[in-house]
Amino acid sequence: MARAHSNLMLIVGASLLALGIGNTLLGLSKLPEYRAKKHAAVAIAGDSARRMTQGTAAILDPATDAQLLFDSAFTKYEYYRVVLRGGIWLTALGLILIGGVTVRRIFVRTGAVQS
Protein backbone atom coordinates (compact mmCIF):
# COMPACT_ATOMS: atom_id res chain seq x y z
CA MET A 1 0.00 0.00 0.00
CA ALA A 2 2.77 2.44 0.89
CA ARG A 3 4.56 1.61 -2.36
CA ALA A 4 1.43 2.43 -4.42
CA HIS A 5 1.02 5.72 -2.55
CA SER A 6 4.68 6.50 -3.16
CA ASN A 7 4.33 5.75 -6.87
CA LEU A 8 1.25 7.98 -7.09
CA MET A 9 3.10 10.86 -5.42
CA LEU A 10 6.00 10.35 -7.81
CA ILE A 11 3.66 10.54 -10.81
CA VAL A 12 1.92 13.64 -9.43
CA GLY A 13 5.30 15.26 -8.70
CA ALA A 14 6.61 14.50 -12.19
CA SER A 15 3.41 15.89 -13.75
CA LEU A 16 3.63 19.08 -11.72
CA LEU A 17 7.30 19.41 -12.60
CA ALA A 18 6.58 19.01 -16.33
CA LEU A 19 3.70 21.52 -16.24
CA GLY A 20 5.76 23.94 -14.19
CA ILE A 21 8.75 23.81 -16.50
CA GLY A 22 6.49 24.27 -19.53
CA ASN A 23 4.73 27.28 -17.99
CA THR A 24 8.01 28.80 -16.85
CA LEU A 25 9.57 28.48 -20.29
CA LEU A 26 6.43 29.88 -21.95
CA GLY A 27 6.36 32.85 -19.59
CA LEU A 28 10.06 33.54 -20.06
CA SER A 29 9.74 33.40 -23.84
CA LYS A 30 6.63 35.63 -24.12
CA LEU A 31 7.38 38.35 -21.55
CA PRO A 32 10.14 40.04 -23.59
CA GLU A 33 7.90 40.08 -26.67
CA TYR A 34 5.06 41.92 -24.96
CA ARG A 35 7.44 44.18 -23.03
CA ALA A 36 8.86 45.26 -26.40
CA LYS A 37 5.35 45.89 -27.76
CA LYS A 38 4.54 48.09 -24.76
CA HIS A 39 7.75 50.06 -25.29
CA ALA A 40 6.99 50.37 -29.01
CA ALA A 41 3.55 51.83 -28.28
CA VAL A 42 5.07 54.35 -25.88
CA ALA A 43 7.72 55.22 -28.46
CA ILE A 44 5.00 55.91 -31.03
CA ALA A 45 2.62 58.00 -28.93
CA GLY A 46 4.56 58.92 -25.82
CA ASP A 47 3.08 58.59 -22.36
CA SER A 48 -0.46 59.04 -23.70
CA ALA A 49 -0.28 55.44 -24.93
CA ARG A 50 -0.28 54.29 -21.30
CA ARG A 51 -3.75 55.75 -20.73
CA MET A 52 -6.15 52.84 -20.54
CA THR A 53 -8.96 52.71 -23.09
CA GLN A 54 -11.75 51.82 -20.67
CA GLY A 55 -14.48 53.66 -18.84
CA THR A 56 -16.39 56.82 -19.68
CA ALA A 57 -13.36 58.69 -20.96
CA ALA A 58 -12.81 55.96 -23.55
CA ILE A 59 -16.32 56.50 -24.91
CA LEU A 60 -15.89 60.24 -25.27
CA ASP A 61 -12.30 60.17 -26.50
CA PRO A 62 -11.63 57.39 -29.03
CA ALA A 63 -8.47 55.40 -28.47
CA THR A 64 -5.51 55.73 -30.76
CA ASP A 65 -3.80 52.76 -32.36
CA ALA A 66 -0.89 53.20 -29.95
CA GLN A 67 -3.23 53.03 -26.96
CA LEU A 68 -4.89 49.90 -28.29
CA LEU A 69 -1.47 48.34 -28.91
CA PHE A 70 -0.35 49.25 -25.40
CA ASP A 71 -3.56 47.90 -23.81
CA SER A 72 -3.29 44.63 -25.69
CA ALA A 73 0.40 44.22 -24.89
CA PHE A 74 -0.15 45.19 -21.24
CA THR A 75 -2.93 42.62 -20.80
CA LYS A 76 -0.90 39.84 -22.41
CA TYR A 77 2.22 40.84 -20.47
CA GLU A 78 0.33 40.57 -17.18
CA TYR A 79 -1.15 37.22 -18.24
CA TYR A 80 2.27 35.76 -19.00
CA ARG A 81 3.60 37.12 -15.68
CA VAL A 82 0.92 35.00 -13.98
CA VAL A 83 1.86 32.02 -16.16
CA LEU A 84 5.52 32.45 -15.18
CA ARG A 85 4.75 32.71 -11.46
CA GLY A 86 2.47 29.69 -11.63
CA GLY A 87 5.16 27.77 -13.49
CA ILE A 88 7.70 28.54 -10.80
CA TRP A 89 5.29 27.40 -8.08
CA LEU A 90 4.36 24.20 -9.93
CA THR A 91 8.04 23.42 -10.55
CA ALA A 92 8.85 23.93 -6.88
CA LEU A 93 5.92 21.79 -5.75
CA GLY A 94 6.86 19.02 -8.18
CA LEU A 95 10.47 19.07 -6.97
CA ILE A 96 9.33 18.93 -3.34
CA LEU A 97 7.08 15.93 -4.02
CA ILE A 98 9.74 14.08 -6.01
CA GLY A 99 12.36 14.89 -3.37
CA GLY A 100 10.08 13.71 -0.58
CA VAL A 101 9.34 10.42 -2.34
CA THR A 102 13.05 9.90 -3.05
CA VAL A 103 14.06 10.59 0.54
CA ARG A 104 11.30 8.33 1.85
CA ARG A 105 12.38 5.49 -0.44
CA ILE A 106 16.00 5.86 0.65
CA PHE A 107 15.05 5.74 4.33
CA VAL A 108 12.66 2.80 3.85
CA ARG A 109 15.29 0.90 1.87
CA THR A 110 17.93 1.41 4.57
CA GLY A 111 15.46 0.44 7.28
CA ALA A 112 15.61 3.77 9.11
CA VAL A 113 11.82 4.19 8.86
CA GLN A 114 9.33 1.38 9.33
CA SER A 115 6.01 1.90 7.57
Side-chain angles (χ1 to χ4, degrees):
M1 178 68 177
R3 186 78 165 165
H5 181 70
S6 180
N7 286 340
L8 178 62
M9 287 295 109
L10 189 61
I11 291 169
V12 170
S15 299
L16 289 174
L17 182 64
L19 285 171
I21 290 172
N23 282 0
T24 301
L25 292 175
L26 181 65
L28 288 173
S29 69
K30 292 291 187 175
L31 282 176
E33 174 185 345
Y34 291 109
R35 184 181 301 119
K37 286 184 180 184
K38 287 189 331 182
H39 291 305
V42 171
I44 292 169
D47 283 336
S48 68
R50 289 191 171 109
R51 188 172 44 103
M52 294 295 178
T53 56
Q54 299 172 350
T56 306
I59 295 170
L60 300 174
D61 186 24
T64 64
D65 288 341
Q67 287 171 329
L68 294 174
L69 175 64
F70 184 85
D71 278 354
S72 174
F74 178 81
T75 302
K76 290 175 184 175
Y77 181 83
E78 291 301 314
Y79 170 76
Y80 284 112
R81 277 185 55 201
V82 171
V83 169
L84 175 62
R85 287 181 184 167
I88 291 170
W89 278 102
L90 288 174
T91 300
L93 187 56
L95 288 172
I96 289 169
L97 282 176
I98 291 171
V101 168
T102 304
V103 168
R104 185 174 190 285
R105 284 186 178 182
I106 290 170
F107 280 118
V108 167
R109 189 173 298 136
T110 61
V113 174
Q114 298 298 323
S115 47

